[in-house]
Amino acid sequence: MQQDYDLLIAGGGLAGSCLALALKDTGLRMAIVEANTREQLYASPSGDRALALADGTVKMLEALGIWQGIRQAATAIKTIHISDRGHFGKARLSAQKENVDALGYVISARDIETHVARLASEANIELICPARVVGLMSGDNAIHVSLKHGDESFSLSAKLLIGADGGSSSVRKLLDISQKVTEYGQTALVTMVKTSVPHNNTAYERFTASGPLALLPVGNNECAVVWTRTDEDAKALMAGSEKDFLSELQDCFGYRLGELALAAPRRAFPLSLIRAEKMVSGRAVIIGNAAHQLHPVAGQGFNLGLRDVVVLAEMLIQQHGDIQDIGAADFLNRYAKARQKDHDLVVGFTDNVVRIFSNDWLAPALIRNIGLTLLDHIPAAKALLARQAMGLAGRMPRLGRRR
Ligand SMILES: Cc1cc2nc3c(=O)[nH]c(=O)nc-3n(C[C@H](O)[C@H](O)[C@H](O)COP(=O)(O)OP(=O)(O)OC[C@H]3O[C@@H](n4cnc5c(N)ncnc54)[C@H](O)[C@@H]3O)c2cc1C
């Protein structure tokens, strides 16, 4: 291990590893600092969660050389069916009508995480693990980063530190960046079910009085379940038997996919919106969940994080190519400015979906049902929603078109 780097990336999750891969051919001296060992990361129950990847995300993963190795493990979403339990509104988005192969894809987080980690190791990207970032000091020419590895402490320096260390980011705290936290009082229950009726590559998003329920197609006859319930309900559903869980799930979703049977353990993820007040401080920048941890209702977290990665990688490649300082304040501020609008849009969109669709008061119920009915009848509005779902609403970063 050397002492002095161009770039240190704190966090070897999806955002951190994808950024390292995007920069692997630049000649930048870089390392990832990860708190867990690879074995711990692969064994983590949180890897069971299914991610819905927007079509725009898939194009970026393709450009990064990642998609080619995981495409086999992913299931295409050809139709999205949105409905409101007990009310009249529904909307349907179709890949065929939007003239695309798929509106998005479903894949387990573990499948992407293990593949990305393998690519990083094959590309000889230095991984310092298990080690935690525990201290920082940003100076004029470098940032000094203190690490803890078991009982041992050591320090490294870099021109730039990237905080990609997730929703509870230590880098964000050490930089004294304040955060806005919205507690929804909700927990996502995640599992897999077998369905007796084929899903035909349809993703279902069903809004219910107790919270949204998503069934995402996996393989031929399985669906990944992301079921948002109040914290209290979720606790009871996790503590109860699998039979009771399944019966309530079936009651909530109905029989559109026939009989459901549990095909994986149940996992619970408490939900909150965490938004950092800013992305940059001194010679450090935070990306991915460290900058914005979202409710999974609209499946936007990693999609948004990957756009951080791609925009930052593009800008770093340019800055490094121009032999300019990659930790310079004006450069980092330009990055923050480039990402602000996308963050505002996606955070606002997701937060509104949670608020409008998570209660059964008459007014919101009426508004969302009229909205869904109108949406289903106005092709332009549907195309716009489909573009948002596919992650194509914003500018497509150049990195995605490079090769
Ligand atoms: C139930 C659920 C469903 C979801 N569904 C979707 C979906 O359908 N579509 C979608 O786009 N997104 C979805 N998401 C969001 C997505 O999982 C996250 O946005 C994404 O995994 C965040 O990646 P990240 O790399 O930013 O953070 P993380 O995955 O949290 O990675 C952070 C890494 O940093 C390491 N670390 C932490 N602290 C330190 C430290 N001090 N020093 C060094 N390393 C440290 C951690 O060990 C970890 O490896 C979902 C999330 C949940 C919970």
Side-chain angles (χ1 to χ4, degrees):
M1 189 195 320
Q2 54 194 63
Q3 297 291 307
D4 189 23
Y5 292 84
D6 292 317
L7 191 74
L8 280 172
I9 302 174
L14 287 175
S17 302
C18 287
L19 180 67
L21 283 175
L23 298 173
K24 71 178 171 27
D25 299 324
T26 54
L28 283 164
R29 295 166 305 142
M30 65 177 161
I32 299 177
V33 179
E34 167 55 47
N36 286 308
T37 60
R38 280 287 162 226
E39 293 68 32
Q40 284 167 330
L41 277 182
Y42 298 160
S44 160
S46 72
D48 284 352
R49 71 194 186 282
L51 302 183
L53 305 183
D55 193 49
T57 298
V58 168
K59 290 196 167 68
M60 289 181 209
L61 291 173
E62 230 163 27
L64 293 172
I66 295 170
W67 181 245
Q68 294 77 341
I70 51 173
R71 160 192 298 141
Q72 297 304 325
T75 305
I77 300 175
K78 302 271 186 189
T79 310
I80 300 179
H81 184 279
I82 309 170
S83 61
D84 196 353
R85 184 176 183 245
H87 299 280
F88 57 86
K90 34 175 95 49
R92 195 183 271 269
L93 305 173
S94 123
Q96 201 188 1
K97 286 206 178 110
E98 300 309 322
N99 257 327
V100 289
D101 290 340
L103 292 168
Y105 291 83
V106 183
I107 188 165
S108 80
R110 182 170 290 109
D111 279 335
I112 314 188
E113 282 166 355
T114 48
H115 181 66
V116 160
R118 197 175 56 242
L119 289 182
S121 128
E122 283 167 9
N124 286 325
I125 292 166
E126 188 177 343
L127 176 67
I128 304 170
C129 90
R132 302 189 69 83
V133 173
V134 292
L136 311 171
M137 208 178 63
S138 199
D140 286 346
N141 299 312
I143 181 162
H144 304 277
V145 182
S146 307
L147 303 183
K148 195 135 183 128
H149 168 67
D151 289 338
E152 217 182 297
S153 298
F154 56 104
S155 96
L156 305 174
S157 63
K159 291 200 182 93
L160 174 63
L161 172 71
I162 312 283
D165 51 347
S168 313
S169 170
S170 306
V171 172
R172 184 180 65 216
K173 286 173 203 145
L174 291 165
L175 291 171
D176 232 355
I177 295 180
S178 53
Q179 61 190 38
K180 212 171 143 206
V181 181
T182 308
E183 295 293 354
Y184 294 114
Q186 294 177 339
T187 298
L189 300 173
V190 169
T191 187
M192 294 281 285
V193 288
K194 271 197 190 331
T195 64
S196 66
V197 171
H199 51 60
N200 288 328
N201 295 75
T202 301
Y204 292 89
E205 182 83 57
R206 194 154 166 70
F207 293 101
T208 78
S210 51
L213 166 62
L215 261 71
L216 309 171
V218 174
N220 290 327
N221 67 342
E222 287 196 341
C223 284
V225 175
V226 185
W227 192 12
T228 305
R229 299 294 302 244
T230 63
D231 290 339
E232 260 178 22
D233 286 358
K235 217 182 239 173
L237 281 160
M238 288 298 286
S241 68
E242 287 192 349
K243 190 164 164 261
D244 290 346
F245 179 90
L246 194 61
S247 133
E248 194 155 341
L249 179 66
Q250 184 88 60
D251 183 48
C252 194
F253 182 71
Y255 284 84
R256 207 175 276 277
L257 288 174
E259 300 265 355
L260 306 178
L262 270 193
R266 296 165 278 174
R267 312 266 185 224
F269 295 84
L271 301 176
S272 54
L273 164 65
I274 304 176
R275 172 107 195 245
E277 299 280 354
K278 55 181 186 171
M279 292 170 238
V280 167
S281 175
R283 287 180 164 268
V285 55
I286 51 174
I287 62 168
N289 270 27
H292 43 69
Q293 179 181 282
L294 307 178
H295 192 299
V297 63
Q300 298 281 335
F302 173 55
N303 292 302
L304 183 61
L306 192 64
R307 295 202 288 276
D308 293 348
V309 165
V310 170
V311 172
L312 183 57
E314 269 178 20
M315 293 182 65
L316 281 168
I317 290 166
Q318 175 88 46
Q319 184 82 349
H320 180 57
D322 293 347
I323 319 177
Q324 297 291 320
D325 181 2
I326 59 166
D330 63 335
F331 167 68
L332 298 180
N333 288 331
R334 262 194 291 127
Y335 163 77
K337 199 164 168 221
R339 295 302 299 138
Q340 189 71 43
K341 200 167 149 204
D342 193 16
H343 287 192
D344 290 349
L345 201 79
V346 175
V347 169
F349 169 75
T350 304
D351 191 42
N352 281 331
V353 171
V354 179
R355 289 176 196 287
I356 295 175
F357 284 95
S358 289
N359 66 66
D360 209 24
W361 300 338
L362 186 62
L366 203 63
I367 291 167
R368 68 183 182 235
N369 275 280
I370 291 171
L372 285 176
T373 308
L374 284 176
L375 184 66
D376 204 35
H377 289 91
I378 302 174
K382 265 172 99 160
L384 200 67
L385 184 71
R387 284 182 70 74
Q388 182 70 38
M390 289 188 284
L392 299 175
R395 178 184 78 93
M396 192 65 191
R398 281 191 302 278
L399 194 70
R401 297 180 188 154
R402 224 169 26 149
R403 289 164 214 179

